[in-house]
């Protein structure tokens, strides 16, 4: 093999493939197997070192108190939501207003039940109205009594229909009267039967006349007899004709004398005869003399 060429480093061997002579070795490069193996080992080792460094930094991020700069930089990465779920109660409570405001939707949705319940009142109040809709229904259910009562007007009005519906019957009584009056018409229409039936006297009386208009038939009929008696005169007068028609026999009988007296003439006209008779019989049995003030249109019976 006269044409065999071996370089000085013994790394390359060249063959001539264009020659018909198989012994004529040129133009083909073979890598020395020993050196190639060393290269692969070195590459693998470098990957291992990088993974160790990444692991060290990750552990440091989880265990070290968060600084504003680090928090802002990490929130830009979608992977941060994994880290959010690992934050301890102590770390959660150390989050500043700025840090909370930098949270993305992905990060907000990563909070666990335990983490949500560890938020302070000040932190709850600092959540922006743009962040509120990002909360998942199962997260809304985790807020405590005191956290619910801390929501601001802007936050209340940012709740979605799904979030309103997810409020538990234990959370509803936590809503303060000034919070109740902030609900929009479509939020009021989203209240479930179970939620309506746990509204307190103070909450019912906090309902505005505009909100009353948006109660559906199912919602109107959901009010208990005790709740019906808590309606103020202006709330009674705000009831639409359709809402009055949907009142049940039990609800009609639960109306107080003062409530009946404040009905407008148009409202009295839409009472179904059977409803009127039921109420008159109840009032007579109690020896009340309000029938002269309340004159139903019996000609329609």
């Amino acid at each position: 093999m006269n044409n065999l060429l071996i370089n000085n480093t013994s790394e390359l061997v060249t063959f001539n493939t264009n020659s018909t002579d198989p012994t004529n070795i040129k133009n083909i490069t073979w890598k020395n197997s020993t050196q190639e193996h060393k290269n692969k080992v070195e590459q693998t080792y470098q990957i291992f070192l990088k993974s160790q460094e990444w692991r060290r930094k990750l552990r440091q991020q989880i265990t070290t108190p968060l600084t504003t700069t680090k928090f802002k930089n990490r929130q830009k990465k979608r992977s941060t939501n994994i880290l959010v779920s690992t934050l301890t109660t102590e770390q959660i409570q150390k989050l500043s207003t700025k840090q909370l405001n930098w949270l993305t939707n992905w990060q907000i949705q990563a909070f666990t039940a335990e983490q949500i319940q560890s938020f302070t009142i000040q932190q709850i109040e600092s959540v922006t109205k743009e962040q509120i809709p990002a909360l998942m229904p199962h997260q809304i259910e985790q807020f405590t009594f005191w956290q619910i009562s801390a929501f601001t007007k802007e936050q209340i009005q940012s709740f979605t229909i799904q979030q309103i519906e997810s409020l538990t019957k234990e959370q509803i009584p936590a809503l303060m009267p000034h919070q109740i009056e902030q609900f929009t018409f479509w939020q009021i229409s989203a209240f479930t039967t179970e939620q309506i039936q746990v509204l307190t006297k103070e909450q019912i009386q906090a309902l505005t006349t505009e909100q009353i208009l948006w109660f559906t038939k199912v919602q109107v009929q959901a009010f208990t007899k005790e709740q019906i008696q808590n309606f103020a005169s202006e709330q009674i007068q705000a009831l639409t004709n359709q809402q009055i028609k949907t009142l049940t026999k039990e609800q009609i009988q639960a109306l107080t004398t003062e409530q009946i007296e404040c009905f407008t003439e148009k409202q009295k006209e839409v009472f179904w005869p059977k409803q009127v008779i039921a109420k008159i019989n109840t009032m007579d049995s109690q020896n009340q003399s309000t029938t002269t003030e309340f004159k139903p249109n019996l000609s329609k019976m």
Side-chain angles (χ1 to χ4, degrees):
M1 301 176 67
N2 296 329
N3 295 327
L4 178 62
L5 301 177
I6 302 178
N7 63 5
N8 294 332
T9 61
S10 300
E11 293 181 357
L12 301 176
V13 181
T14 305
F15 295 90
N16 183 2
T17 55
N18 295 325
S19 174
T20 57
D21 184 0
T23 63
N24 188 9
I25 304 174
K26 280 184 179 181
N27 300 331
I28 292 182
T29 301
W30 283 356
K31 290 184 178 180
N32 182 281
S33 59
T34 302
Q35 184 63 33
E36 185 177 18
H37 178 70
K38 288 181 179 180
N39 292 341
K40 288 184 178 180
V41 171
E42 179 64 24
Q43 291 174 0
T44 303
Y45 181 66
Q46 291 299 324
I47 293 174
F48 172 75
L49 290 179
K50 289 182 179 180
S51 65
Q52 290 295 309
E53 178 66 16
W54 181 83
R55 182 181 179 183
R56 184 188 66 79
K57 290 181 178 180
L58 180 61
R59 290 176 64 87
Q60 184 179 21
Q61 290 172 339
I62 294 175
T63 58
T64 304
L66 298 175
T67 64
T68 300
T69 302
K70 289 182 179 179
F71 195 88
K72 186 174 182 179
N73 290 337
R74 280 191 289 139
Q75 67 88 27
K76 296 179 181 179
K77 300 180 181 179
R78 181 175 174 181
S79 60
T80 312
N81 66 321
I82 300 175
L83 299 179
V84 167
S85 62
T86 64
L87 293 174
T88 65
T89 298
E90 183 179 359
Q91 289 175 321
I92 289 289
Q93 293 180 341
K94 287 183 179 179
L95 292 174
S96 67
T97 298
K98 287 186 177 181
Q99 290 173 328
L100 287 172
N101 291 342
W102 281 327
L103 289 172
T104 65
N105 290 355
W106 288 96
Q107 292 169 323
I108 290 174
Q109 293 171 357
F111 282 117
T112 65
E114 184 179 358
Q115 289 174 320
I116 287 176
Q117 293 175 354
S118 68
F119 276 94
T120 65
I121 300 301
Q122 291 72 24
Q123 289 176 318
I124 292 293
E125 292 174 343
S126 68
V127 177
T128 68
K129 62 181 181 180
E130 290 77 21
Q131 291 174 313
I132 291 293
L135 288 165
M136 302 297 289
H138 71 269
Q139 291 177 306
I140 294 292
E141 295 173 358
Q142 304 306 322
F143 284 107
T144 65
F145 186 97
W146 298 110
Q147 288 175 322
I148 289 291
S149 62
F151 283 113
T152 65
K153 171 185 176 180
E154 291 73 19
Q155 291 172 326
I156 289 288
Q157 294 182 342
S158 298
F159 273 82
T160 66
I161 291 179
Q162 291 73 24
Q163 290 174 325
I164 294 292
E165 293 174 340
S166 67
L167 288 169
T168 67
K169 62 181 182 179
E170 290 76 27
Q171 291 174 318
I172 292 295
L175 290 166
M176 303 298 288
H178 71 269
Q179 292 175 307
I180 291 291
E181 62 186 20
Q182 302 305 329
F183 284 110
T184 63
F185 68 88
W186 56 266
Q187 288 175 319
I188 286 293
S189 299
F191 273 80
T192 66
T193 299
E194 292 74 17
Q195 291 172 328
I196 286 178
Q197 291 179 341
V198 295
L199 288 173
T200 66
K201 176 181 178 180
E202 292 73 20
Q203 290 175 323
I204 289 176
Q205 293 181 342
L207 290 167
T208 67
T209 54
E210 290 77 16
Q211 289 173 322
I212 295 289
L213 296 174
W214 292 98
F215 279 122
T216 66
K217 173 183 177 180
V218 174
Q219 289 175 315
V220 169
Q221 294 180 340
F223 285 103
T224 66
K225 293 186 295 183
E226 292 74 16
Q227 288 176 316
I228 286 292
Q229 293 177 343
N230 291 327
F231 276 81
S233 58
E234 60 270 16
Q235 292 174 318
I236 291 291
Q237 292 176 344
L239 291 171
T240 66
N241 291 352
Q242 191 60 40
Q243 287 173 325
I244 291 176
K245 288 181 180 180
T246 63
L247 290 171
T248 66
K249 176 181 177 181
E250 291 74 19
Q251 290 174 320
I252 292 292
Q253 291 178 338
L255 290 169
T256 65
T257 302
E258 292 74 16
Q259 288 175 319
I260 289 180
E261 288 177 344
C262 74
F263 273 106
T264 65
E265 291 302 319
K266 289 184 178 180
Q267 287 176 319
K268 293 176 183 178
E269 291 176 0
V270 298
F271 269 101
W272 289 101
K274 62 179 181 179
Q275 293 174 315
V276 175
I277 292 175
K279 184 57 187 179
I280 291 176
N281 291 338
T282 301
M283 293 169 63
D284 288 341
S285 65
Q286 296 175 349
N287 296 321
Q288 295 176 333
S289 58
T290 59
T291 54
T292 56
E293 186 72 23
F294 176 50
K295 300 178 180 179
N297 188 352
L298 299 181
S299 62
K300 296 182 179 180
M301 296 177 56

